[in-house]
Amino acid sequence: MLPAVTLRPLIHRQQEVIGIDFYFNKELEISLRKLAGIKWSQTHKLWYMPLSKDSYQQIKLATGILVKLDDQALRNYLQKRKQVVAINSVLPTNAPSVTNSFVATQKKPPVLTPAWQLIPEN
């Protein structure tokens, strides 16, 4: 059975990144370490790369047939982010953003699930 690698959205050092989560596999780790721009997060205990199509393609090529790639969490995040951007782009420029108006009406900050976390600017 192929080892599983989960690609998930992550906010690390105030930047959107792709978290590469997997149980230790020496061959896979050697392959991933060769990627340009990959870094280790001691905080999250996983490898990560900038959130971009290029990074995603590099990860797919590096893992190749070595693993079963689970990118559903990343896809869900990108879809929700796209919806938020689309909603905010159709609002008049003097209207508060959907995120800001939601936060302004709440006594407590909203609780965000791991599947949906945006940096405050988004």
Side-chain angles (χ1 to χ4, degrees):
M1 184 172 182
L2 294 175
V5 171
T6 302
L7 301 182
R8 59 186 175 102
L10 188 66
I11 304 297
H12 184 63
R13 297 186 181 193
Q14 300 169 345
Q15 301 227 347
E16 291 178 307
V17 298
I18 301 172
I20 308 167
D21 200 9
F22 60 95
Y23 288 107
F24 180 76
N25 177 305
K26 188 174 183 175
E27 186 178 347
L28 177 58
E29 187 166 344
I30 289 170
S31 180
L32 288 173
R33 281 180 177 240
K34 295 177 184 176
L35 297 176
I38 195 162
K39 295 181 181 176
W40 174 256
S41 167
Q42 188 62 34
T43 306
H44 299 285
K45 306 287 190 234
L46 52 69
W47 293 97
Y48 70 94
M49 291 184 71
L51 181 61
S52 69
K53 285 184 182 181
D54 184 50
S55 294
Y56 178 76
Q57 292 300 326
Q58 284 186 54
I59 294 166
K60 278 182 69 172
L61 288 172
T63 57
I65 59 171
L66 298 175
V67 301
K68 178 182 178 219
L69 197 61
D70 177 9
D71 62 357
Q72 193 59 47
L74 182 62
R75 289 179 184 275
N76 290 343
Y77 174 81
L78 292 172
Q79 184 179 20
K80 288 178 184 180
R81 184 178 75 166
K82 187 177 180 180
Q83 291 170 349
V84 169
V85 169
I87 289 170
N88 281 332
S89 68
V90 297
L91 292 174
T93 55
N94 61 348
S97 72
V98 172
T99 307
N100 290 341
S101 62
F102 175 79
V103 172
T105 62
Q106 304 298 309
K107 292 185 181 186
K108 294 181 182 177
V111 176
L112 300 176
T113 65
W116 176 243
Q117 293 180 353
L118 286 178
I119 57 177
E121 290 82 10
N122 287 341

